[in-house]
Amino acid sequence: MHIRRILAAAVATAALTGIGLTGAATATAAQGAPSYVTPSQCKQGGGTPAINEAGNYCKGGTHDGEQID
């Protein structure tokens, strides 16, 4: 009976660890891709398109720091 509890705990721990690793890998993959928005999307999100500055980024709002395409 004691061995069954230990085995069940080990299986549960392995399952939770796998879920945690999968979530971390998904978050990392999502961050890796560059994000582009249009000037109108930047404005709609409450930001200001900084087209004349180096990099053409959206400043502020929900698209802050995203590159303008």
Side-chain angles (χ1 to χ4, degrees):
M1 188 68 142
H2 183 66
I3 294 173
R4 284 186 187 172
R5 282 190 226 162
I6 293 172
L7 183 59
V11 169
T13 302
L16 292 175
T17 303
I19 291 170
L21 291 175
T22 303
T26 303
T28 303
Q31 285 181 339
S35 180
Y36 296 97
V37 295
T38 64
S40 62
Q41 287 174 322
C42 177
K43 289 179 186 176
Q44 287 173 355
T48 305
I51 296 172
N52 294 330
E53 296 182 21
N56 297 337
Y57 290 100
C58 181
K59 286 186 171 183
T62 57
H63 298 290
D64 186 34
E66 295 182 37
Q67 193 168 9
I68 295 177
D69 186 25

